[in-house]
Amino acid sequence: MTNRIFVRSAIRLLAGSALAALALPVAAQTAATADSGEIIVTATRRADTLQNTPAAITAFNAAAIQSAGIERPSDFIGLTSNVNLVETQNAGNAFVIIRGITQARNSEPSVAVIVDGIQQVNPAQFNQELFDVEQIEVLKGPQGGLYGRNAIGGAIIIRSKAPTDELSGKFTAGIDNGFGYYVRGNLSGPIGKDLKFRVAGSWYDTDGFIQNTFLNEKADPIKDLNLRANLLWNPAAGLDVDFRLAYSNLQTQALYFNIVNDVNDTSLPVRVNNRGQNDREMWSGAVKLKYSGDFGTVSNVLAYDSLTEILTGDAFNFLPIPESLFFQFFGFDLNQSQFLKVDAWSNELRYESPADKPLQFTVGTYMVGTKRYISTGNMIDTGAGVFPVYTTPSTNPLNPQFSFLADSQDNFAWAVFGNTSWKINEQLRIDASLRYDRDTRKNTTLTPTAFLPNVPGFPQGVTGELRRRSFQSWQPKVTLTWKPIDNITLYGGWSRGFRSGGFNQTGVGAVAASNGIVGVNDIFNAEVAETFEAGIKTQTSDKLLTFNAAAFSTRTENSYFFVFLAANSTQNLGNVPLAQIKGFEAELNLRPVKGLDISAGLGYTDSNIKQFGNPAYIGNELPLISRYTLNAGINYVTPITDDVDLNARVDYRRIGRTWWDVENSTSRNPVNIVDARLGVSTKRWSVTAFSQNLFNEIYNAEFSPGGFVFKARPRRYGIEASFNF
């Protein structure tokens, strides 16, 4: 009965949208003529206009990125309906939640992230500075047929600006109330007849925004350096050789939690006695070869990534030593350290048929190899500070080791894929894709015997123990598109997404069982999601009004959820055997007069746990789900003089009620965020004042099982100036 009601609601939504779109153009005819340019997206692996692409996509071109001040993933996600980003604990842990498909600590990502045609293989890479970016596309819904095992919720495609034929560059500098300062810049141009380059970089240094009242300093200082270089060589007609190299070094702090029962409780200040550290270093390099001719295009992308992250800080319950829970019971306090090192290579070989034919197809192969080491441990807090622990337990008398777990993983995954697009006639089109992924994972226990959990009634872990598991799945996707008239696109289809399973650290299954926690084992299962979707895209003939909407229903097996086991201080993943997710998005863009752009978006998500080991949780919402997102924005550009323009922009976002754990023990009230920008610009320079979280909404960015809450950043404001040549 519920499914029929949902289907009827979706039909009413889409039908009403179509009628509205057909009626509104009459009123829009008197408005000023829109710019002729359209956004070309490549999220479906074929270049097409945003409005002609049969998928729910939110796209930001270079002009939108600049006007909105998009500098980090949270900035563009905050402008996208039915997508949220939860930032917590440390820089590498930022969870994308898209249409109810969630992410957790140490898990595979919920979306495939593709940067300049190269898929990120480590979720800890995602949350970093965005600079010198040409376009961002957020594609919603399972895209496994196109992007593989981690595209279960969708895909995010980021494209950097390309090398230029003439020497050009841009420099930006700004200050904020951190007190912080930042600089960003790029330089591009030719080296020879067939060789072009582009280099870009950014530096951000701030004292932070969240006060640690115990240490009388900020808890979130940042020093962040990012560098990128691109060399494009055209040695022969149709042949492109693209070399890329990137480096990132972030130094900040982590683990400044509070412990509360209610996620809405923001009364407690940060009072950790250890400032700790969070240092993350990333290297990446890639070689992209592409050869095009009348036969089509053959491309190969070979990439290598390396990430190292160390984080240290206070431990539960994140209070000064005399006030801490451990000190009250045992006479000593704890701090903690986690070390992560990931090295990965990947290679994709692809053939694409000519794009000007009614029938187009793509076939290819993909391989990725990953080596990962992770250690987690608690040390006795002697008051001398917290010292990082890497691959062996601490022997420092000022930092005695209390608990220590370490594992290494050696993973290899491969896939074969194909997709086709058949344009039957000017009104009808069929897209189909199929991909097979197989992921083989080997986990070696590196925890010294003395630190292995020993739970009566469960097998004792063994140092050097090798665990092996393979996860595999077919991922099909079929979409039917119908254009009854030029300015309306209707589409609908079915897709299946897959996210690999993996290993919790050795022995946690026994610890979880002995503490009565259901759904957590040494191995967590792969997740599979099947989605039915229907959508409409409409636009007036003068492009002054655009209205797009989509409705979806997803059945997910083995959805991830997070559990912190205090008994051995480990972060673990469990599975929800079966859940149902339903919802819709609606987005509108209007330009009533030249220079004025108005946008609005609404996303709604309803989830329901259908099966779980503890029957009390059946019927609950999935963790990290927000009931809805509401976006609205106004961007206005008007000339002041013949050469100078005034630029004004305001964006509003409301995040609906949000649940955090399978128990639904607490839910966060709706959050309202307003960002604003005001500046003047010419073709060569600009000066802009900005504010993020203008009205200083105070809220907790995350609630984690056990009562851990992580504060969201309060108001940030400043001014920046740019010059380009």
Side-chain angles (χ1 to χ4, degrees):
M1 181 66 179
T2 303
N3 286 334
R4 291 199 296 270
I5 293 172
F6 173 77
V7 171
R8 288 199 296 268
S9 299
I11 291 172
R12 291 193 196 104
L13 167 70
L14 299 180
S17 303
L19 291 173
L22 288 171
L24 283 169
V26 176
Q29 294 300 318
T30 59
T33 303
D35 294 340
S36 59
E38 291 189 81
I39 296 180
I40 303 298
V41 296
T42 58
T44 57
R45 297 286 197 181
R46 289 285 185 176
D48 204 345
T49 65
L50 179 62
Q51 287 305 108
N52 282 339
T53 302
I57 303 174
T58 301
F60 306 90
N61 59 15
I65 291 169
Q66 180 174 335
S67 68
I70 293 174
E71 299 174 351
R72 298 187 65 82
S74 58
D75 297 331
F76 71 81
I77 287 176
L79 299 172
T80 307
S81 60
N82 256 350
V83 184
N84 285 321
L85 182 72
V86 176
E87 296 182 88
T88 183
Q89 181 178 309
N90 62 296
N93 273 310
F95 317 138
V96 179
I97 299 92
I98 181 166
R99 284 187 171 181
I101 302 296
T102 63
Q103 189 178 331
R105 289 168 176 81
N106 304 321
S107 80
E108 293 295 324
S110 56
V111 296
V113 180
I114 296 89
V115 180
D116 296 327
I118 304 161
Q119 186 162 340
Q120 290 185 351
V121 297
N122 187 342
Q125 296 173 269
F126 177 61
N127 194 29
Q128 58 178 297
E129 288 289 310
L130 296 172
F131 58 97
D132 202 34
V133 174
E134 180 67 27
Q135 189 158 302
I136 301 168
E137 303 169 29
V138 182
L139 176 58
K140 305 167 191 174
Q143 307 298 327
L146 295 173
Y147 292 107
R149 60 195 171 113
N150 290 330
I152 190 168
I156 296 174
I157 294 87
I158 300 172
R159 178 160 54 89
S160 304
K161 293 186 177 180
T164 54
D165 293 322
E166 297 181 355
L167 186 65
S168 63
K170 183 177 182 179
F171 178 80
T172 300
I175 57 173
D176 66 23
N177 60 312
F179 174 79
Y181 72 94
Y182 57 91
V183 292
R184 297 190 295 270
N186 64 73
L187 183 67
S188 178
I191 297 177
K193 179 181 178 182
D194 301 311
L195 190 63
K196 296 181 287 188
F197 79 98
R198 191 176 191 98
V199 292
S202 71
W203 167 256
Y204 182 38
D205 189 326
T206 181
D207 294 335
F209 303 88
I210 299 171
Q211 186 70 18
N212 181 336
T213 60
F214 181 78
L215 296 177
N216 194 29
E217 63 185 26
K218 300 297 183 183
D220 58 334
I222 296 172
K223 295 182 185 296
D224 192 5
L225 172 66
N226 296 274
L227 301 171
R228 190 166 62 236
N230 180 200
L231 196 63
L232 185 60
W233 182 33
N234 306 113
L239 178 61
D240 295 328
V241 184
D242 192 340
F243 300 95
R244 294 177 181 268
L245 183 65
Y247 174 75
S248 176
N249 189 308
L250 172 68
Q251 299 175 38
T252 181
Q253 294 179 21
L255 300 167
Y256 41 92
F257 289 106
N258 290 124
I259 304 298
V260 298
N261 292 319
D262 181 0
V263 67
N264 299 296
D265 184 355
T266 59
S267 63
L268 298 179
V270 171
R271 298 187 64 237
V272 294
N273 63 281
N274 290 299
R275 62 175 55 89
Q277 72 181 98
N278 178 196
D279 296 346
R280 182 185 66 181
E281 185 176 57
M282 297 185 293
W283 287 93
S284 63
V287 180
K288 301 167 60 179
L289 303 174
K290 184 173 73 173
Y291 184 67
S292 302
D294 294 338
F295 63 91
T297 300
V298 176
S299 60
N300 191 84
V301 180
L302 176 64
Y304 174 79
D305 297 277
S306 177
L307 180 144
T308 303
E309 185 170 20
I310 180 74
L311 60 143
T312 70
D314 241 359
F316 188 88
N317 57 339
F318 305 96
L319 290 174
I321 294 175
E323 303 174 45
S324 70
L325 189 66
F326 258 80
F327 186 84
Q328 299 296 322
F329 280 92
F330 304 107
F332 61 88
D333 193 14
L334 297 177
N335 54 41
Q336 60 183 305
S337 178
Q338 183 179 85
F339 175 61
L340 174 68
K341 181 173 176 57
V342 183
D343 293 291
W345 64 269
S346 63
N347 192 86
E348 183 184 82
L349 176 64
R350 171 186 301 270
Y351 165 75
E352 297 180 10
S353 67
D356 58 350
K357 306 295 183 183
L359 181 63
Q360 304 171 23
F361 66 92
T362 300
V363 294
T365 64
Y366 177 78
M367 295 182 292
V368 58
T370 306
K371 291 185 180 295
R372 189 193 81 159
Y373 173 89
I374 185 170
S375 68
T376 304
N378 285 114
M379 291 74 65
I380 296 175
D381 191 349
T382 63
V386 55
F387 302 89
V389 176
Y390 296 93
T391 58
T392 57
S394 171
T395 57
N396 185 343
L398 298 177
N399 207 49
Q401 197 79 45
F402 180 80
S403 66
F404 182 83
L405 291 176
D407 288 341
S408 70
Q409 288 191 19
D410 188 353
N411 305 330
F412 176 72
W414 60 270
V416 291
F417 58 87
N419 58 77
T420 183
S421 178
W422 181 25
K423 188 175 182 180
I424 301 172
N425 53 44
E426 293 300 318
Q427 285 75 42
L428 196 60
R429 165 180 163 184
I430 297 176
D431 292 273
S433 57
L434 181 63
R435 178 170 175 136
Y436 177 77
D437 281 85
R438 183 178 178 86
D439 188 357
T440 300
R441 303 191 166 203
K442 294 186 292 185
N443 186 93
T444 303
T445 302
L446 298 179
T447 304
T449 302
F451 291 99
L452 283 167
N454 186 5
V455 180
F458 293 89
Q460 172 67 28
V462 178
T463 303
E465 177 186 1
L466 177 63
R467 296 181 288 165
R468 177 173 176 153
R469 182 65 64 89
S470 292
F471 306 92
Q472 60 277 323
S473 180
W474 288 97
Q475 298 186 81
K477 181 179 175 69
V478 179
T479 304
L480 180 65
T481 306
W482 180 45
K483 291 180 68 67
I485 57 176
D486 286 343
N487 64 343
I488 293 182
T489 299
L490 301 170
Y491 65 92
W494 169 79
S495 56
R496 189 172 191 264
F498 159 72
R499 177 162 52 174
S500 186
F503 300 95
N504 288 317
Q505 288 186 290
T506 304
V508 300
V511 176
S514 66
N515 284 272
I517 297 173
V518 176
V520 176
N521 300 289
D522 281 17
I523 297 175
F524 57 92
N525 295 322
E527 181 180 1
V528 174
E530 295 190 8
T531 297
F532 290 92
E533 179 177 355
I536 181 172
K537 293 190 168 186
T538 66
Q539 189 175 64
T540 60
S541 57
D542 52 15
K543 300 181 177 64
L544 298 186
L545 174 68
T546 301
F547 185 90
N548 299 333
F552 62 90
S553 178
T554 298
R555 181 182 186 272
T556 175
E557 298 178 7
N558 294 320
S559 175
Y560 293 168
F561 71 93
F562 173 76
V563 170
F564 173 75
L565 289 177
N568 60 352
S569 191
T570 53
Q571 301 172 4
N572 308 286
L573 295 180
N575 293 116
V576 176
L578 181 64
Q580 187 75 34
I581 307 170
K582 300 173 183 177
F584 67 86
E585 299 105 28
E587 297 181 345
L588 179 144
N589 291 276
L590 174 66
R591 178 176 287 183
V593 295
K594 185 177 182 181
L596 178 62
D597 291 278
I598 301 172
S599 62
L602 174 64
Y604 176 86
T605 303
D606 177 47
S607 65
N608 189 288
I609 295 176
K610 297 291 188 181
Q611 295 179 13
F612 198 76
N614 186 339
Y617 301 159
I618 295 175
N620 285 357
E621 299 279 344
L622 287 170
L624 278 67
I625 298 291
S626 297
R627 174 65 77 223
Y628 63 87
T629 62
L630 175 64
N631 304 83
I634 298 176
N635 188 64
Y636 184 56
V637 180
T638 187
I640 300 175
T641 69
D642 291 343
D643 300 318
V644 181
D645 289 338
L646 174 70
N647 307 273
R649 182 180 179 114
V650 177
D651 289 294
Y652 167 73
R653 177 173 175 86
R654 181 177 173 91
I655 305 171
R657 184 166 298 281
T658 305
W659 292 264
W660 299 97
D661 51 25
V662 291
E663 298 95 329
N664 287 183
S665 61
T666 184
S667 61
R668 191 181 65 193
N669 295 332
V671 173
N672 299 283
I673 304 294
V674 176
D675 298 335
R677 297 175 66 84
L678 179 65
V680 293
S681 65
T682 69
K683 293 181 179 180
R684 285 296 180 91
W685 58 264
S686 67
V687 178
T688 305
F690 63 87
S691 178
Q692 297 171 317
N693 193 3
L694 175 65
F695 297 109
N696 201 30
E697 178 93 344
I698 303 299
Y699 64 101
N700 288 316
E702 187 210 22
F703 177 95
S704 184
F708 299 70
V709 291
F710 198 76
K711 290 183 178 294
R713 190 167 68 181
R715 177 170 49 220
R716 174 179 179 247
Y717 59 87
I719 189 168
E720 68 176 31
S722 295
F723 175 77
N724 61 81
F725 61 90

